[in-house]
Amino acid sequence: MFETVYACGGRAAEVCGLYVEDLDLRLDDEHVRIHGKGGSVRSVLLDDRGYVALLKLYLARSGYTSGPLCRAGINGSTGPLSYDAAHHRWETYCAAAGIEIDIHQLRHAHATELINAGVSIEAVRRRLSHASTETTQLYTLLADDIAAATEPPADLRLGP
């Protein structure tokens, strides 16, 4: 579930609502249909080969051929995993690791990586389903801040 949030740049609630039927795992055309805010639907390319392999393994081992992708197993129920349950699991994992990261930061990290890789702001906007480019541009500022924070001091730089 968390890898899907990161790999697709989806909101946690969107990923909780995914069904196996939303996946298209045909070779070289792997993508997922994400149902977003306001009834919008977007197709997101699954361009991470490692993630696609992990997803295929998950489906094979679980035997899921239809229905919710991320399922709750409480009291024998196999309904969709709720956002609250996913959020609770995330907090439990973070506490065990001794870190404080909000689940939504997986989406931010995905967007920042795309921008750092040179993907256009418009392509990132569409992938994240932002209504406005201004919202997406916040990630360019974050990417700039990260780059500035990792630059060596002026006296250690090579060249002019």
Side-chain angles (χ1 to χ4, degrees):
M1 189 264 162
F2 305 119
E3 184 70 20
T4 302
V5 170
Y6 175 75
C8 299
R11 296 171 183 93
E14 292 171 339
V15 172
C16 286
L18 287 178
Y19 278 68
V20 175
E21 294 87 347
D22 293 321
L23 299 171
D24 186 338
L25 299 178
R26 288 178 289 165
L27 185 61
D28 294 329
D29 189 30
E30 297 94 342
H31 61 276
V32 61
R33 222 175 21 259
I34 297 179
H35 304 267
K37 288 182 173 180
S40 68
V41 178
R42 68 188 183 279
S43 181
V44 174
L45 179 66
L46 300 176
D47 47 6
D48 180 330
R49 290 274 170 229
Y51 169 72
V52 171
L54 183 67
L55 186 57
K56 288 179 178 181
L57 181 63
Y58 168 74
L59 292 172
R61 287 186 176 171
S62 67
Y64 298 158
T65 57
S66 64
L69 181 63
C70 303
R71 302 180 188 200
I74 300 169
N75 298 328
S77 167
T78 57
L81 183 66
S82 71
Y83 172 82
D84 288 340
H87 191 264
H88 182 298
R89 287 183 190 181
W90 177 257
E91 287 181 334
T92 301
Y93 298 148
C94 287
I99 57 174
E100 288 186 40
I101 300 174
D102 186 84
I103 192 171
H104 195 71
Q105 286 179 283
L106 295 172
R107 176 175 161 88
H108 291 220
H110 175 77
T112 301
E113 279 201 17
L114 291 175
I115 290 167
N116 286 341
V119 176
S120 76
I121 195 78
E122 180 58 24
V124 176
R125 183 197 68 77
R126 286 192 312 269
R127 187 168 181 122
L128 299 180
S129 189
H130 285 154
S132 160
T133 304
E134 287 77 29
T135 304
T136 312
Q137 285 177 331
L138 295 174
Y139 298 106
T140 62
L141 297 174
L142 178 60
D144 289 345
D145 288 347
I146 291 169
T150 58
E151 285 184 13
D155 58 338
L156 294 180
R157 289 188 204 138
L158 298 175

